[in-house]
Amino acid sequence: MERRKLIDIVLVILAVVFVSATTLAAFYYAPLEPVDVLTVVEHESDYTGDDVRVKGVVHDLSGQDLSLWDISSPDPGITINVTYSGEGDLSTLASDGDTVYVVGRYDPDDGFSAKEVEIADDPDEPAGWTSPYSAKIFYFHVPAAWTSFLAFGVVLGCSIAYLLKGGQKWDIWALSSAEVGLMFNTVAVISGALWAKAEWGYYWDWNDAKLFSTFVLWLIFIAYVAIRSGAVRHESIPRVAAIFGVLGFAAVPISFISSRIWTSLHPNVVASSTGHLSSEAGTVLMLGVLAFTFVYATLFSRRTAIERSVMEIQDLKEKLEEEE
Amino acid sequence: MIGVEQFYWAYLIIWAGIVLYVLYLTQRQSKITKEIKLLKEVIDGGRD
């Protein structure tokens, strides 16, 4: 069997196996809430150590204790008991049904010990991860985004190689990777918007640095693919596209770090000191990343095969013209 | 449970997007293969 066909078959098998495993794990194994949200919503701290601030709705207030439900942490949608040890009478600080912030320490065994209780200025302001089931989108959204970054990284590498060494192979690889990467980026943007609707109450916010920078990245690679679509035919197109691919890649690190340095509700749970994944969530995420990487490799291989066939057509046409 | 609907929609859209892209690639490959076959026939026919 031809080596290339064998690689294609292996890639398809790996993609199908890992996609199935990710689906089963995301549906039946992954925890509803993959992130330790206290560290996402609040300052950088371990929630069992330093003081943290938790948003919740007062469910039951009696004496100096209260119960919060629909809290932002540690498990949204559940109720936790809070022991208040701060100054003043708790009944003058909060009432049943109030949306409040409590500041204190959380211990998985002893519960939450609050030193401060304050009424939230804006009860509708998103508290963080409030939609536990939708958080499962995480296991597909993050791998899709990462795969698009990988694909655009391949565009960068191949574009540099093309500019330095020339050669049709690098151009074909860059073009194929850009198209497949754009598809994954589109999937990440749409799934992210659906998740945003569940968590934040809206699909999109143009003032959010992460969302805006990702949109710019998406536009850049739409432009790249449009340049290569064949609408404009000129021998300098591969070179122009290679320069565009190198410059366009700059949007990838900007998109990645945007939520870390500018205003964004988008959480930083991967490669971040403020987000912690449970081991179950981490396992499912890794499965998802592998699954999407194999899907990417499969599609990349198919896409390059098409481009090779296009080259073959051009060669045949030239041959035909020569013979005529 | 909050967010169930969004999860199913996102899951469906993600895989629908990938499947549509695979179908697009397949259709494109098939069209190109036909064109190559035709060109080869024309070239071979010319030689005969």
Side-chain angles (χ1 to χ4, degrees), chain A residues 199-281:
Chain A
E199 291 288 348
W200 305 333
Y202 48 82
Y203 290 105
W204 198 264
D205 177 12
W206 290 108
N207 295 317
D208 189 295
K210 183 76 165 187
L211 273 55
F212 187 75
S213 58
T214 305
F215 179 72
V216 171
L217 173 68
W218 188 65
L219 284 184
I220 285 172
F221 280 90
I222 282 185
Y224 181 98
V225 172
I227 290 171
R228 308 303 307 269
S229 67
V232 182
R233 291 189 187 278
H234 194 276
E235 59 185 22
S236 66
I237 289 288
R239 194 169 180 79
V240 170
I243 295 168
F244 194 87
V246 173
L247 296 177
F249 182 80
V252 170
I254 292 173
S255 171
F256 183 75
I257 61 167
S258 57
S259 53
R260 289 163 171 78
I261 55 175
W262 293 304
T263 308
S264 177
L265 267 180
H266 193 284
N268 304 312
V269 293
V270 180
S272 156
S273 60
T274 57
H276 302 288
L277 291 177
S278 66
S279 62
E280 293 94 340

Side-chain angles (χ1 to χ4, degrees), chain A residues 72-83:
Chain A
S72 56
S73 56
D75 296 301
I78 66 151
T79 304
I80 59 165
N81 292 318
V82 178
T83 306

Side-chain angles (χ1 to χ4, degrees), chain A residues 122-168:
Chain A
D122 179 6
D124 296 327
E125 183 193 333
W129 300 58
T130 53
S131 185
Y133 207 88
S134 72
K136 283 180 182 247
I137 295 173
F138 174 79
Y139 303 111
F140 302 97
H141 168 74
V142 174
W146 272 94
T147 310
S148 72
F149 289 174
L150 167 75
F152 297 150
V154 171
V155 176
L156 171 74
C158 294
S159 298
I160 291 173
Y162 182 80
L163 290 171
L164 294 177
K165 299 188 223 169
Q168 217 169 40

Side-chain angles (χ1 to χ4, degrees), chain A:
Chain A
M1 190 186 287
E2 200 185 326
R3 191 167 150 259
R4 201 168 265 156
K5 269 191 179 170
L6 189 67
I7 292 172
D8 276 356
I9 290 170
V10 171
L11 284 175
V12 168
I13 292 170
L14 284 170
V16 169
V17 168
F18 276 87
V19 164
S20 309
T22 307
T23 300
L24 287 172
F27 273 81
Y28 301 110
Y29 173 69
L32 284 182
E33 181 54 73
V35 180
D36 167 4
V37 286
L38 277 172
T39 53
V40 175
V41 178
E42 304 304 335
H43 57 80
E44 296 181 17
S45 67
D46 187 309
Y47 76 79
T48 57
D50 301 324
D51 286 350
V52 290
R53 203 162 73 123
V54 179
K55 190 178 183 182
V57 179
V58 177
H59 177 57
D60 178 34
L61 190 146
S62 52
Q64 290 297 87
D65 294 341
L66 56 86
S67 289
L68 293 180
W69 67 280
D70 196 23
I71 52 165
S72 56
S73 56
D75 296 301
I78 66 151
T79 304
I80 59 165
N81 292 318
V82 178
T83 306
Y84 178 65
S85 58
E87 290 178 11
D89 186 351
L90 192 60
S91 61
T92 62
L93 297 171
S95 312
D96 281 357
D98 280 348
T99 300
V100 295
Y101 287 109
V102 292
V103 180
R105 288 192 180 194
Y106 177 73
D107 185 286
D109 298 323
D110 299 335
F112 200 98
S113 172
K115 288 190 288 193
E116 288 175 32
V117 173
E118 57 177 289
I119 304 286
D121 291 336
D122 179 6
D124 296 327
E125 183 193 333
W129 300 58
T130 53
S131 185
Y133 207 88
S134 72
K136 283 180 182 247
I137 295 173
F138 174 79
Y139 303 111
F140 302 97
H141 168 74
V142 174
W146 272 94
T147 310
S148 72
F149 289 174
L150 167 75
F152 297 150
V154 171
V155 176
L156 171 74
C158 294
S159 298
I160 291 173
Y162 182 80
L163 290 171
L164 294 177
K165 299 188 223 169
Q168 217 169 40
K169 178 181 82 175
W170 300 115
D171 182 45
I172 288 176
W173 284 12
L175 166 61
S176 304
S177 194
E179 195 180 289
V180 179
L182 180 64
M183 190 273 294
F184 278 109
N185 202 241
T186 307
V187 157
V189 167
I190 295 172
S191 59
L194 281 164
W195 193 5
K197 176 67 179 169
E199 291 288 348
W200 305 333
Y202 48 82
Y203 290 105
W204 198 264
D205 177 12
W206 290 108
N207 295 317
D208 189 295
K210 183 76 165 187
L211 273 55
F212 187 75
S213 58
T214 305
F215 179 72
V216 171
L217 173 68
W218 188 65
L219 284 184
I220 285 172
F221 280 90
I222 282 185
Y224 181 98
V225 172
I227 290 171
R228 308 303 307 269
S229 67
V232 182
R233 291 189 187 278
H234 194 276
E235 59 185 22
S236 66
I237 289 288
R239 194 169 180 79
V240 170
I243 295 168
F244 194 87
V246 173
L247 296 177
F249 182 80
V252 170
I254 292 173
S255 171
F256 183 75
I257 61 167
S258 57
S259 53
R260 289 163 171 78
I261 55 175
W262 293 304
T263 308
S264 177
L265 267 180
H266 193 284
N268 304 312
V269 293
V270 180
S272 156
S273 60
T274 57
H276 302 288
L277 291 177
S278 66
S279 62
E280 293 94 340
T283 306
V284 182
L285 180 65
M286 280 315 296
L287 266 180
V289 168
L290 280 171
F292 275 68
T293 304
F294 288 129
V295 173
Y296 162 74
T298 309
L299 296 176
F300 174 76
S301 174
R302 295 316 312 147
R303 185 63 187 83
T304 52
I306 288 176
E307 214 52 39
R308 281 195 302 273
S309 301
V310 170
M311 300 295 169
E312 194 183 341
I313 287 179
Q314 283 172 357
D315 289 345
L316 287 171
K317 280 182 177 170
E318 281 169 17
K319 209 170 169 182
L320 195 63
E321 279 170 16
E322 279 169 20
E323 287 189 6
E324 281 172 357

